[in-house]
Amino acid sequence: MARDPRYDILFEPVRIGPVTARNRFYQVPHCNGMGRKHPTAMAAMRGVKAEGGWAVVCTEQCDIHVTSDTEREIRLWDDRDIPPLARMVDRVHGRGALAGLEPTHMGYHAGNFIGREIPMAPSGRPAHGILPFHARAMDKTDIADYRRWHRNAVIRGKKAGFDIIYVYAGHGLSLPMHFLSPRHNRRADEYGGRVENRVRLLREVIEDTKEAVGDACGVAVRLAVNELLGPRGITPDEEGRAAIEMLGELPDLWDVNVSEWENDSESSRFAEEGYQEEHIAFVKSRTTKPVVGVGRYTSPDRMVSLVRNGVLDMIGAARPSIADPFLPRKIEEGRIDDIRECIGCNVCVGTANQNTYMRCTQNPTMSEEWRRGWHPETIPPADTDDRILVVGAGPAGLEAARALGQRGYDVTLAEAGAELGGRVARESRLPGLAAWGRVRDWRVGQLRKLPNVEIFMASEMTADTVRETGAGMVALATGAVWRRDGSGRYHDFPLPGAAAQARRVLTPDDIMAGAEPEGPVAVYDDDHYYMGGAIAEKLARDGHAVSLVTPARAVSSWTEFTLEIDRIQTRMRELGVTLHLSHAVTRIDEREVEIEDMYSRRAARIEAGAVVMVTAQDPVDGLYRDLMADEDANRKAGIRRVSRIGDCYGPGPIAAAVFGGYRYARELGEAIGDGCPWKRETVELAAEV
Ligand code: ADP
Ligand code: SF4
């Protein structure tokens, strides 16, 4: 297909100082959990983005010195760190894109657990978050040292072959930003006080960087123009505007956003596409240099309007490039409905924050490009002539059927219900989660293009009907249900009263199916991801008096990793949900539940006409057990293998179900062998002992 001429503007080249980007698609720096520990996997992932049409592909933050150490990110501490990054540059160059590097000194944000150095800051202060250190105030020697370290890293970056090198002043994560923000800088010298002084270090580092790269690389500045903290922090009216006005023509590109990371990477539960526009829109009028911004943009029309309306010159993306590394190519080839849109769930962020290979709900091949040899667009053709039956059209079944169909297999997808999508269809109707429906929509759209996949609705399969299909391979993607008896992480056994009061005990499945609890509702959340908070939110919005009881110290505590935790706490309070943190439900009685404080074991009672148990899920695997009960009958029916995938195999996040579906399509349920099934980079032993 040909490109729609309306989108031509997105494919105009953009000059970034001495280098030229082939189009306006710009993958901004983003963490990925692979970084320095898995450099070849990281390089391959970046290379696939370049192949997918991004004109610029950047690294994550790159620690420049031992006084700013993080375990997971890449580094350029000395020349030994150049080869892993050069490998990434080669992959990116090999596919026609420019490679960008983001040298970083995290200042007070760095725990420095590796090198045990005392963190540094413009003024003395406690280190970030709850790190049990203090950062020391930098003197003039420290400032000179920092500038030299940055310059050294820049020179190494140039040697590695990067085309664009950043000065990083974003996300509350770097020294030039700490100097700019009033909340960190209480200095009385020429680096503190008036905004002209607070911007000095940023100016100096941009000048150092320009001088170090000469005309080999473009120099980009990533600047947080708003910390969303009012006058305590950087505001667009004061520091943001002043920095752009004073330094507007100095770098070759401005990459602007809001800080901190949880504001920059807001999830779709809390922010719509384009949520940063109001904060960054002023920048372009203050500089002639190209401006990049982000906002989870996946709509090409929106991208065009950003360029035409003079908001941005280049469309920045982290998450949309993770969910669909081929987004630019699809626009270029006129394949708009093939774009796999990011759902804004922040599972990528959450898994990178666990310091390991990032995963993506929409893109099961993310981080698997090198170690498993998976590619987001291509898949090996079928190598057997099996006919394959997939039972259940939730995210696992849809993805398995889609990817098997892409391989060329004849696939039958049977779904018991009247709609496609399984849990995704249900969960996307919870408040704020509508964008999650994209998991279903993209797969259904792709399936409609595959004549070799037949979909049967309202087809509840039994062992007999499965055997009648004549399929040689069977994948059961029959999902999971929430447990009703209150057992889970805190309680190993069913809760007293759960059976006796069964009429008043509900699960998220009941609420999503439209059950209307009577009277005040207690939500018991021993799951700790989004579901407990989302159910409480729905019930409160529906007008119920809601209490949320959880053994955790915060509602939806795993969302600390997806950067949503604070917003969820705020929302609970705004909706008037009564919180019983560090408490467990211990008994269910008529009109009341008993709860206990986890630490003191003191009991209390709260009024509740109904209890919603959000504790654990059980696989729906009755069909599997029925089939396996008569393997002879399976053989006679021509079935070679029966596999469980997705939540039916192991309940978990949607990302795991999609991954399970894709993996099945690649491996057809092959048993895991004795060795490690993927490639890995092992530690290189030192020559000296
Ligand atoms: P997953 O997340 O693993 O994809 P879901 O719970 O989202 O699981 O989806 C499971 C789907 O399987 C649901 O749409 C459900 O209606 C369907 N299903 C369950 N049992 C059967 C069955 N016996 N026959 C056909 N479809 C089934
Ligand atoms: Fe988007 Fe979720 Fe994938 Fe992250 S994990 S890129 S937020 S779909």
Side-chain angles (χ1 to χ4, degrees), residues 266-268 296 318-324 340-351 358-363 366 436 439 655:
E266 272 209 74
S267 69
S268 58
R296 243 180 31 247
R319 290 169 294 175
S321 76
I322 294 167
D324 196 342
R340 195 170 42 226
E341 290 182 287
C342 167
I343 70 166
C345 61
N346 279 12
V347 159
C348 49
V349 177
T351 47
M358 158 176 77
R359 73 195 303 174
C360 170
T361 301
Q362 277 285 55
N363 176 8
M366 176 44 58
W436 293 19
V439 172

Side-chain angles (χ1 to χ4, degrees), residues 342-481:
C342 167
I343 70 166
C345 61
N346 279 12
V347 159
C348 49
V349 177
T351 47
N353 273 335
Q354 307 264 304
N355 294 335
T356 187
Y357 298 85
M358 158 176 77
R359 73 195 303 174
C360 170
T361 301
Q362 277 285 55
N363 176 8
T365 68
M366 176 44 58
S367 304
E368 307 294 353
E369 300 85 353
W370 176 72
R371 67 173 184 163
R372 290 187 210 254
W374 291 359
H375 187 276
E377 296 302 308
T378 58
I379 191 166
D383 47 13
T384 67
D385 55 7
D386 281 303
R387 286 185 44 228
I388 302 176
L389 170 68
V390 178
V391 182
L398 287 174
E399 176 63 12
R402 182 205 69 75
L404 287 164
Q406 188 188 2
R407 293 191 66 183
Y409 283 101
D410 281 331
V411 181
T412 302
L413 174 60
E415 165 56 47
E419 68 174 349
L420 296 170
R423 63 181 285 187
V424 163
R426 294 191 291 277
E427 293 179 20
S428 63
R429 290 192 282 265
L430 289 170
L433 303 187
W436 293 19
R438 291 172 172 183
V439 172
R440 169 203 53 211
D441 297 344
W442 182 75
R443 288 174 174 81
V444 171
Q446 298 295 300
L447 283 166
R448 294 207 197 293
K449 298 183 186 182
L450 290 167
N452 49 329
V453 181
E454 264 195 295
I455 303 178
F456 294 91
M457 304 299 299
S459 304
E460 176 148 13
M461 302 301 285
T462 63
D464 288 341
T465 55
V466 166
R467 290 182 189 122
E468 281 161 19
T469 59
M473 305 288 263
V474 178
L476 303 177
T478 46
V481 289

Side-chain angles (χ1 to χ4, degrees), residues 426-677:
R426 294 191 291 277
E427 293 179 20
S428 63
R429 290 192 282 265
L430 289 170
L433 303 187
W436 293 19
R438 291 172 172 183
V439 172
R440 169 203 53 211
D441 297 344
W442 182 75
R443 288 174 174 81
V444 171
Q446 298 295 300
L447 283 166
R448 294 207 197 293
K449 298 183 186 182
L450 290 167
N452 49 329
V453 181
E454 264 195 295
I455 303 178
F456 294 91
M457 304 299 299
S459 304
E460 176 148 13
M461 302 301 285
T462 63
D464 288 341
T465 55
V466 166
R467 290 182 189 122
E468 281 161 19
T469 59
M473 305 288 263
V474 178
L476 303 177
T478 46
V481 289
W482 286 92
R483 196 178 287 174
R484 203 170 279 279
D485 65 13
S487 64
R489 290 189 164 94
Y490 191 84
H491 294 296
D492 299 316
F493 301 103
L495 264 178
Q501 300 295 330
R503 206 177 50 79
R504 302 190 302 111
V505 177
L506 302 170
T507 70
D509 298 317
D510 298 326
I511 301 295
M512 290 187 283
E516 269 299 330
E518 276 171 32
V521 189
V523 175
Y524 176 43
D525 181 8
D526 194 21
D527 172 62
H528 311 298
Y529 191 17
Y530 57 89
M531 187 56 85
I535 290 287
E537 177 169 350
K538 173 180 165 46
L539 292 170
R541 288 189 190 282
D542 289 350
H544 293 277
V546 180
S547 304
L548 189 144
V549 184
T550 179
R553 294 185 201 97
V555 181
S556 301
S557 49
W558 199 77
T559 61
E560 175 183 350
F561 301 107
T562 61
L563 310 177
E564 296 167 289
I565 191 163
D566 291 344
R567 287 191 168 80
I568 291 173
Q569 313 312 301
T570 305
R571 184 152 291 175
M572 292 297 113
R573 284 158 176 83
E574 283 169 356
L575 290 169
V577 175
T578 307
L579 302 180
H580 301 276
L581 306 176
S582 306
H583 277 73
V585 171
T586 43
R587 153 171 219 100
I588 299 162
D589 290 323
E590 189 92 29
R591 314 287 321 154
E592 277 186 342
V593 297
E594 183 186 83
I595 62 174
E596 77 173 12
D597 178 278
M598 276 179 63
Y599 303 110
S600 69
R601 304 275 168 188
R602 250 196 304 274
R605 302 183 76 78
I606 58 174
E607 193 192 346
V611 184
V612 185
M613 296 292 191
V614 192
T615 60
Q617 296 178 75
D618 291 314
V620 176
D621 56 4
L623 177 56
Y624 178 75
R625 280 184 274 115
D626 289 349
L627 279 164
M628 298 316 280
D630 193 349
E631 294 197 57
D632 254 2
N634 297 346
R635 262 190 297 278
K636 279 189 202 129
I639 296 173
R640 291 201 295 119
R641 187 179 294 146
V642 180
S643 310
R644 288 161 294 172
I645 60 174
D647 290 302
C648 162
Y649 191 43
I654 297 167
V658 172
F659 181 88
Y662 184 83
R663 183 179 186 178
Y664 177 80
R666 300 280 308 217
E667 300 171 2
L668 294 179
E670 286 286 348
I672 190 169
D674 293 339
C676 176

Side-chain angles (χ1 to χ4, degrees), residues 13-21 252-253 290:
V14 180
R15 273 201 77 75
I16 304 170
V19 296
T20 301
D252 301 308
L253 175 135

